[in-house]
Amino acid sequence: MQTIKLRNKTLQVPIIQGGMGVGVSLGNLAGHVAKCGGMGVISTAHTGYRCDDFWQNFLEDNLTEIKNEIHKAKEIAGGNGMVGINVMVALRYYDQMVKAAIEGGADAIISGAGIPLELPAIVGDADIAIAPIVSSGKSARVICQSWKKKHDRLPDFIAVEGSQAGGHLGFSRKQLEEKMDYDMEISEILKLVRVYEKKAERKIPVAVGGGICDK
């Protein structure tokens, strides 16, 4: 099984567990995935929902529990794999949640539900892998161009979510009914990534979610 190098970390098992909220992808699940050598991912969708005062102090509780869940996952992982955080661009307090993930010691931030054009600026010099979630070659191109031009940074890896990925909202009902050939879209994303790999002088791994099969 091929290992994957992401910044200064190595995934022994090239699998990234999806960030599922509310209350599904927390420290326990993410920690055990990382313990097995993959990347466990904690969702920031109402991470603090179990706190007694959540509806009165939901932001404070979410930020606190993001850090707590990272610590829990790291303890379970015992130094294996990676612990990532999924932060949706659509969240009201996107910046604060990204910063909480950094302060909590996450190894990676994966960001979708919008185009995370400012993620490199929020992360700054923090030693953490960052990755956008894309569903098309067009969105991948916009992100790579913007990150490179504005921040002189490119993704450490890219997550691709197609129409068969759980929770994906990027396609219209008409597109889904037409059974679009998503393999072609993935090919376009991979071609684009190869171009930016040359600019970065390193590999940019691509993780594909949903609709995986053997032929």
Side-chain angles (χ1 to χ4, degrees), residues 23-34:
V24 180
S25 299
L26 294 175
N28 189 45
L29 174 60
H32 281 90
V33 172

Side-chain angles (χ1 to χ4, degrees), residues 1-2 4 11-18 33 37-40 82 207:
M1 186 176 293
Q2 184 178 5
I4 296 178
L11 288 182
Q12 295 86 11
V13 179
I15 291 177
I16 299 175
Q17 163 241 312
V33 172
M39 182 187 293
M82 295 176 68

